[in-house]
Amino acid sequence: MDAEILIVGGGLNGPCLALACAQAGLSSVVLDALPAVTRADAGFDGRAYALALASVRMLDALGIWGEVADHAQPILEIKASDGRAGEGAAPFFLHFDHAEIEEGPMGHMLEDRYLRRALLDAMEHEPLITHRAGARVLSQDTNGLASVTLDGGDVLRGRLLIGADGRRSGVADRAGIKRTGWGYGQTALVCAVDHERPHNGVAQQFFMPGGPLAILPLPGNRSSIVWSETEPRAGELAAADDATFLDALRPAFGDFLGDISLSGQRYSYPLSLSLASAFVAEKLALVGDAAHGIHPIAGQGLNLGLRDVGALAEVLADAKRRGEDIAASNVLARYQQWRRFDTASLAIATDAFNKLFSNDNSALRTVRDVGMGVIGALPGLRRTFIREAAGLTGDLPRLMQGRAL
């Protein structure tokens, strides 16, 4: 064997899984289709992630958080409300304050460049991990040992094959794992903006008729924008020049942070729901977007993938301690049983929320505004939502509790 675990996908979930498995003494090869130079720190490009508190604890347990904490922005409050461009927020809104729970900030915003660099450095210094950049998988086989054939002709073998290769997972496709889902008719426009006034660590979510607009705090007077719009409108905005894009964003954004200007690049992503029919197969498991892709309305995409990583690493570590075959079907079934319900529940919830809020129906608008007002007025219910946003609910893997494997 070249390693006990072959991980296809070098983005975020794949390296995190390799580092977690290394804690349990499991060796891995991380196969990244992109060349190493693409993953290097090229300066601020506008991409950032909302990491829930549980995800931060996991990164800390993996030895990553200490390398990036100085670059992170704590999320101290979350405000969510209905909105229409040029009208500002509705009178009823949700307000979550981290001071209502004992654990600290609900999460942190962290730029992509810092997290990727820290993961690359950690893998480089871990003797149980081999990182192969620019390695594209052409075929796989899970009869006997798991094996993959690379575009350069190399054949690698291990006990277990992991698909961490995104929504269009080649690992899942080659294993015959089908997907269920649908498009939302929306596209996410992603960028960062500089603004005149401080955000004070407050994350804002405006539910606009075309889709939600998230304004997420970054260090300094800068915020990350995730703006979901209908496909035709988003197509126009994505093709527009920066000045035209800003002219369209300003009425939706509002003036509460003063004037805004673009910082870094702009990106766009079509939005859809995509769930794998199974998270495991013979000597194979899927994590992250390879297993599930959900609407970004709750900002939980990466956090959901990291829960997969924590759960799978724990299942494999416990199996190794018991002397079990880590690739045995009954071992992998434990991982699937752990993660399928949580994933399906969140997928259904985000799907329902998007349908409820991404419209301008006056009756639905009244219902949802009153609903947000009720939640905001009940401290116990409000704290439940705060803990949910922090990723502290459900059956948490040990790593997400800040504990070692």
Side-chain angles (χ1 to χ4, degrees):
M1 294 189 302
D2 296 277
E4 290 169 285
I5 304 173
L6 307 177
I7 301 173
V8 181
L12 301 175
N13 291 312
C16 281
L17 180 61
L19 291 166
C21 288
Q23 278 196 1
L26 293 166
S27 62
S28 62
V29 176
V30 177
L31 300 167
D32 190 346
L34 294 179
V37 66
T38 308
R39 301 289 188 195
D41 180 2
F44 181 72
D45 64 5
R47 292 181 295 172
Y49 306 105
L51 294 166
L53 174 56
S55 296
V56 170
R57 288 177 172 176
M58 178 175 171
L59 292 175
D60 192 35
L62 295 178
I64 298 296
W65 190 246
E67 304 300 317
V68 299
D70 289 345
H71 302 292
Q73 167 63 50
I75 299 174
L76 304 178
E77 299 177 52
I78 298 174
K79 294 181 179 179
S81 67
D82 257 334
R84 290 192 184 99
E87 294 185 10
F92 294 104
F93 60 91
L94 289 177
H95 180 205
F96 299 151
D97 190 330
H98 80 290
E100 293 194 56
I101 60 174
E102 298 76 27
E103 289 85 354
M106 290 171 279
H108 288 74
M109 289 297 299
L110 181 63
E111 294 171 28
D112 176 85
R113 54 174 170 163
Y114 297 123
L115 182 54
R116 286 189 192 273
R117 184 75 264 166
L119 290 172
L120 288 172
D121 290 345
M123 286 196 296
E124 184 179 346
H125 291 96
E126 174 51 66
L128 288 174
I129 300 175
T130 301
H131 178 219
R132 293 192 55 166
R136 192 164 63 90
V137 176
L138 298 182
S139 64
Q140 67 194 45
D141 187 358
T142 53
N143 292 315
L145 290 174
S147 67
V148 294
T149 302
L150 306 182
D151 53 356
D154 290 352
V155 178
L156 303 181
R157 294 176 177 83
R159 294 189 187 282
L160 179 64
L161 176 62
I162 304 296
D165 49 346
R167 291 192 184 210
R168 298 180 179 178
S169 170
V171 172
D173 286 345
R174 289 185 290 268
I177 296 175
K178 305 299 183 184
R179 305 188 79 83
T180 300
W182 47 82
Y184 286 112
Q186 295 173 323
T187 297
L189 303 164
V190 180
C191 64
V193 295
D194 291 316
H195 38 78
E196 294 178 316
R197 301 180 190 134
H199 48 57
N200 298 317
V202 180
Q204 307 273 353
Q205 178 105 305
F206 298 120
F207 296 109
M208 316 293 283
L213 168 65
I215 303 171
L216 307 169
L218 294 174
N221 283 12
R222 177 183 283 170
S223 292
S224 175
I225 304 298
V226 182
W227 184 14
S228 301
E229 259 292 356
T230 60
E231 287 178 348
R233 176 63 172 153
E236 295 173 3
L237 293 170
D241 58 30
D242 288 351
T244 303
F245 178 84
L246 274 174
D247 286 343
L249 176 61
R250 284 190 179 100
F253 190 101
D255 60 0
F256 68 104
L257 293 178
D259 194 26
I260 59 174
S261 59
L262 278 173
S263 180
Q265 303 173 39
R266 291 157 48 197
Y267 306 87
S268 63
Y269 306 98
L271 298 180
S272 64
L273 176 70
S274 176
L275 295 175
S277 59
F279 287 10
V280 300
E282 182 73 17
K283 296 183 177 62
L284 180 152
L286 306 177
V287 297
D289 284 356
H292 45 71
I294 64 172
H295 196 284
I297 193 168
Q300 293 298 313
L302 177 57
N303 297 302
L304 199 60
L306 292 178
R307 280 207 184 204
D308 295 343
V309 168
L312 180 56
E314 186 169 321
V315 166
L316 298 180
D318 290 347
K320 181 178 179 180
R321 291 189 187 102
R322 287 191 290 261
E324 297 175 291
D325 178 2
I326 62 169
S329 58
N330 63 322
V331 172
L332 298 180
R334 295 170 202 154
Y335 162 66
Q336 175 165 269
Q337 183 178 10
W338 191 348
R339 294 301 302 139
R340 281 295 294 275
F341 179 77
D342 179 36
T343 300
S345 299
L346 187 57
I348 292 169
T350 54
D351 184 71
F353 264 79
N354 184 57
K355 290 175 179 175
L356 175 64
F357 284 94
S358 295
N359 61 75
D360 206 20
N361 183 293
S362 58
L364 287 178
R365 187 181 178 93
T366 300
V367 169
R368 64 201 186 211
D369 287 356
V370 171
M372 285 192 285
V374 169
I375 293 171
L378 298 174
L381 187 57
R382 190 171 62 245
R383 280 194 292 272
T384 298
F385 275 83
I386 293 173
R387 293 184 66 80
E388 182 72 33
L392 300 176
T393 59
D395 187 7
L396 286 179
R398 289 193 290 267
L399 287 172
M400 289 199 143
Q401 299 173 42
R403 299 160 54 200
L405 283 177

